[in-house]
Amino acid sequence: MRQARPSDRRRFNGHPDQVLLARQFVVSALAEDSPIREVARLLVSEVATNAVRHTASGTAEGGFRVSYELRDDRLRVEVYDAGSLTTPQRRAHDLEAPGGRGLELLDALASRWGTLGGREGRVVWFELDLGASRSRGRHPSSSELDR
């Protein structure tokens, strides 16, 4: 079995089937019994799916990059996309709608998260504390998302 590194990054093609590989890439760094393993799996899936669906990463020649850093006290994940004319924002959605809740999931489950960048490329990042408490702080660049 391959020994996970405390940090790594990898590029993925901009196709929906690559989201599974991105999830596996990050989760492989965590112990099988890690209390954040399933939350990390869900949030990587949400952010990578958004990169493919809502940015230039999802075009024929597109792609996205995922990096992680595992420290003693937290996991930080960054998903770099190819940019978009719009910024990530909450949308009103029907309660029965199958999607549209990615930012709400980040709010509810990440210890901290934010976005940087814009039309030419963006990074959506999140952190999960390995301890029991969550500070739920955000990067100043994402303050407009909190409203």
Side-chain angles (χ1 to χ4, degrees), residues 8 14 16 140:
D8 204 352

Side-chain angles (χ1 to χ4, degrees), residues 18-135:
Q18 298 292 290
V19 173
L20 169 65
L21 299 176
R23 281 195 311 254
Q24 292 171 340
F25 169 67
V26 172
V27 170
S28 71
L30 300 170
E32 294 273 337
D33 62 348
S34 172
I36 65 167
R37 189 175 171 95
E38 293 307 313
V39 173
R41 182 186 319 271
L42 174 63
L43 294 181
V44 169
S45 182
E46 287 294 327
V47 176
T49 297
N50 284 349
V52 172
R53 282 189 180 169
H54 302 296
T55 76
S57 292
T59 62
E61 299 298 318
F64 62 97
R65 190 176 79 225
V66 177
S67 67
Y68 68 81
E69 181 179 19
L70 184 60
R71 295 185 178 180
D72 291 334
D73 61 340
R74 71 178 176 265
L75 169 71
R76 180 181 175 100
V77 176
E78 297 177 348
V79 177
Y80 297 82
D81 64 45
S84 161
L85 296 177
T86 61
T87 59
Q89 58 188 356
R90 287 186 181 87
R91 292 181 276 154
H93 56 269
D94 184 281
L95 293 176
E96 302 297 320
R101 294 176 182 81
L103 299 180
E104 292 171 4
L105 287 171
L106 284 166
D107 267 348
L109 300 174
S111 303
R112 289 161 296 284
W113 72 275
T115 65
L116 298 168
R119 291 180 179 195
E120 299 300 315
R122 177 178 296 112
V123 59
V124 177
W125 61 268
F126 66 87
E127 293 181 346
L128 297 173
D129 291 338
L130 296 174
S133 66
R134 296 190 341 216
S135 65

